[in-house]
Amino acid sequence: MLGCGALLTFDGHVQQWFSTSWSADDALHLGLVIGEPDGMSTWEFACLFLCLETWTSENAKTGLLIAGDSLVALSAALTYKGKKGLAIIARDISWRRLRYGWKYLCGHLPGEHNVEADILSRIMAPEPAKIPNSCTNECRTSAPRLADLWAATI
């Protein structure tokens, strides 16, 4: 996995979306190798973390429903448990949830229904995916860099 992509929807319409790539600093911090399948669940959890960091502040009153196809990442977001890289991310999410009052629920979205986010995650691939029509440039936002979030918790 070279990067991640996610979208914020309301009533079935894309409000915002982002696509970002992982850095060598991210991989080092999480003990992963970019592009190796062994770390897929941890990278999925890192993407979930970026979603929370990007969208929880502006949705503080209502909270967010995080829907994704990684059961490991969704479970870790609810239990704050995991091994290795998952534990690192879980600690940071737990700290921010307490500190900033993040409100969110998680739900499973089967892979065959997670098409747009899956496409957005492949924009950084050697053969980049085409941005879905529902994700217009006007709706594009920037996610923070993971490396900046690690420094913010210290």
Side-chain angles (χ1 to χ4, degrees):
M1 185 172 216
L2 303 174
C4 84
L7 46 117
L8 175 71
T9 63
F10 184 77
D11 282 341
H13 301 286
V14 176
Q15 303 298 304
Q16 292 182 8
W17 65 274
F18 68 79
S19 180
T20 190
S21 59
W22 305 123
S23 73
D25 288 338
D26 300 332
L28 181 64
H29 188 78
L30 295 171
L32 300 174
V33 176
I34 295 172
E36 291 292 318
D38 289 349
M40 180 68 89
S41 293
T42 304
W43 290 123
E44 294 274 357
F45 195 29
C47 188
L48 189 153
F49 181 29
L50 290 180
C51 291
L52 291 169
E53 185 67 32
T54 302
W55 293 312
T56 51
S57 294
E58 64 190 56
N59 294 285
K61 289 183 181 177
T62 59
L64 291 174
L65 170 60
I66 302 290
D69 57 11
S70 172
L71 291 173
V72 172
L74 295 168
S75 176
L78 294 172
T79 64
Y80 312 111
K81 293 181 183 176
K83 294 180 180 176
K84 301 179 183 178
L86 289 169
I88 292 168
I89 299 166
R91 179 197 64 219
D92 284 336
I93 289 176
S94 175
W95 180 84
R96 283 172 171 78
R97 190 168 191 183
L98 289 171
R99 173 77 171 94
Y100 302 118
W102 282 3
K103 294 186 283 189
Y104 62 88
L105 298 171
C106 294
H108 183 247
L109 183 65
E112 61 269 15
H113 298 293
N114 200 25
V115 176
E116 290 170 312
D118 192 43
I119 292 170
L120 293 172
S121 73
R122 288 178 168 70
I123 289 177
M124 306 302 170
E127 294 180 27
K130 183 180 178 285
I131 297 171
N133 292 336
S134 60
C135 298
T136 63
N137 279 334
E138 296 81 33
C139 298
R140 188 172 196 163
T141 192
S142 296
R145 291 174 359 107
L146 274 179
D148 294 339
L149 297 178
W150 309 138
T153 355
I154 299 174

